[in-house]
Amino acid sequence: MTILAAICMTACTETQTETVIKVSGNLGDPQPTFLYNVFGAEILAEGQVADSIVTFAVDTLDPVIATIGRSADRRQPVCAVIIDGEPIEITVNEEGKGEVTKGSESNMKLVEAMERVELAGKPMKQLMEEYGEAHQKYNGDIPAEMMQGFDKRHEEISKAINDVEKQVILENKDNLVPVFYLRTGGDALGVEFLEEFLKDYKYKDCKVLEPVLKSISGEKNKLPGAPVVDFVGKDLNDNECHLTDYVGKGKYVLVDFWASWCGPCRAEMPNVKENYEKYREKGFEVVGISFDDNKEAWEKGVQDLGITWPQISDLKGWGCAASDLYNIKGIPATILYGPDGKVIKANLRGEELGKTLAEYLDK
């Protein structure tokens, strides 16, 4: 919830408003004197301190979900608020956490929503503590059965949190609360849910939701049956090449999104190599799309890992065009295409990769 509370977003209407925010209680040191819009990348206002109360006065063209924090570098968030022209009062408790005690209906609904999501997430905090204790006890080598238990619980708790977020979104179709959760947890909500909700959502045209729309488009490009979407970059010899030079040419092709600096990518590479060597004579190919931004590091990574399959990169790191095209938010990530250039399955790793390839190629 600390991460969620540190996020703020611009919504959309066309009326300039002034919002006055007053913060009192345990102000602490440093005091919460910065109001900022993280996605807008600017400080909206600096608070004025008098009589143990911090006061912000901010004019906005559009409503904004903003964060009050203790420093100009966006650290130590205290409270998230919706700036919509109505006065807001916040009380900071002994732990330094702010609570909206007065505000617009949307603000009070945001408070309620965050409490519900936080309650659903408490088991995750307990799980992380147990995992940390186990990691220390076994020096990082947690027994497989115990790790499977952790993974199962993580999946169950994540689903519970996700279900609460969906419920909160559906209950607030007429206000800005969904913008908060659509932006912070969009991918986990699923393409079908997002598209259905956004069809009739009052604030669906908000500029801040543009990344959500991009994510939906990228996720759809990874769904089974989706045709290949071309990615253009250069190979290690600086020759321009296209993903469609390989995909849709009659082979099963695994597109492997990776980077030389990515530890999990390097750890997964032996598994990819093993399957490549096992199935390449049966019509299987691998194409690496690197999220490196340094060609020498990319070349060294390829050499050190013994990678022999084709490589493509635009050397833009996380700004890689592939990130938006296929909604890649973490690596390693993979997409398996069939001979016809359509997606079979995405995010194949570990044993699942070998099992899936065997299903199609061990015939």
Side-chain angles (χ1 to χ4, degrees), residues 37-320:
N37 179 340
V38 174
F39 290 117
E42 83 272 19
I43 294 174
L44 298 172
E46 292 190 30
Q48 303 300 311
V49 184
D51 299 325
S52 299
I53 295 176
V54 180
T55 302
F56 299 91
V58 56
D59 290 319
T60 57
L61 179 63
D62 302 321
V64 172
I65 299 179
T67 307
I68 294 170
R70 299 182 182 278
S71 59
D73 59 3
R74 295 171 175 78
R75 296 181 184 179
Q76 303 181 61
V78 171
C79 189
V81 293
I82 297 175
I83 301 174
D84 56 8
E86 294 193 32
I88 301 170
E89 293 182 7
I90 296 167
T91 301
V92 183
N93 64 22
E94 292 301 316
E95 296 176 352
K97 180 180 178 181
E99 178 182 352
V100 176
T101 54
K102 180 181 178 181
S104 64
E105 183 180 2
S106 289
N107 264 296
M108 303 319 295
K109 286 185 175 180
L110 178 61
V111 171
E112 178 190 357
M114 293 180 70
E115 288 176 349
R116 289 167 60 185
V117 175
E118 185 174 13
L119 182 62
K122 280 188 175 180
M124 186 68 80
K125 182 178 179 180
Q126 176 64 32
L127 176 63
M128 292 298 100
E129 289 176 357
E130 293 179 21
Y131 174 82
E133 291 171 359
H135 191 275
Q136 184 175 12
K137 179 179 179 179
Y138 295 101
N139 294 318
D141 189 17
I142 300 174
E145 186 175 351
M146 181 180 289
M147 196 65 216
Q148 289 172 3
F150 283 138
D151 288 342
K152 182 180 179 182
R153 287 170 60 193
H154 187 278
E155 183 177 341
E156 292 171 348
I157 297 168
S158 296
K159 183 181 183 305
I161 296 171
N162 188 254
D163 288 345
V164 172
E165 290 180 343
K166 285 183 177 180
Q167 189 175 1
V168 162
I169 289 169
L170 293 173
E171 291 173 359
N172 289 278
K173 293 182 178 180
D174 61 345
N175 60 53
L176 294 169
V177 171
V179 176
F180 187 92
Y181 290 100
L182 291 171
R183 187 63 192 265
T184 58
D187 289 348
L189 297 169
V191 170
E192 186 175 345
F193 176 86
L194 289 170
E195 286 196 309
E196 183 64 27
F197 177 77
L198 287 171
K199 274 195 311 186
D200 302 315
Y201 181 42
K202 182 178 180 179
Y203 296 99
K204 64 182 178 181
D205 295 323
C206 293
K207 185 176 181 180
V208 73
L209 290 179
E210 288 179 358
V212 177
L213 300 178
K214 284 185 179 180
S215 292
I216 292 173
S217 177
E219 283 298 306
K220 291 173 76 171
N221 289 337
K222 296 188 292 188
L223 293 177
V228 61
V229 177
D230 199 17
F231 169 73
V232 183
K234 292 185 177 181
D235 62 20
L236 286 165
N237 294 316
D238 289 327
N239 297 313
E240 181 177 288
C241 49
H242 296 243
L243 184 58
T244 51
D245 292 339
Y246 305 97
V247 177
K249 304 298 183 183
K251 290 187 176 184
Y252 289 89
V253 180
L254 182 75
V255 180
D256 181 30
F257 303 91
W258 76 291
S260 65
W261 45 259
C262 169
C265 300
R266 299 177 77 98
E268 175 67 9
M269 206 60 73
N271 180 52
V272 178
K273 286 181 63 179
E274 180 181 345
N275 282 285
Y276 178 64
E277 291 165 2
K278 182 177 181 179
Y279 291 110
R280 64 179 177 174
E281 298 300 327
K282 294 185 178 183
F284 175 57
E285 183 61 273
V286 178
V287 177
I289 294 183
S290 170
F291 277 49
D292 278 284
D293 59 8
N294 181 289
K295 187 181 178 185
E296 290 183 2
W298 177 29
E299 290 177 323
K300 188 174 187 304
V302 169
Q303 182 178 1
D304 291 348
L305 293 166
I307 297 172
T308 57
W309 50 82
Q311 292 285 313
I312 310 174
S313 181
D314 57 14
L315 291 176
K316 294 181 179 179
W318 277 112
C320 178

Side-chain angles (χ1 to χ4, degrees), residues 309-338:
W309 50 82
Q311 292 285 313
I312 310 174
S313 181
D314 57 14
L315 291 176
K316 294 181 179 179
W318 277 112
C320 178
S323 179
D324 285 338
L325 284 175
Y326 317 106
N327 195 37
I328 305 300
K329 299 291 180 63
I331 52 176
T334 59
I335 304 175
L336 178 64
Y337 289 93

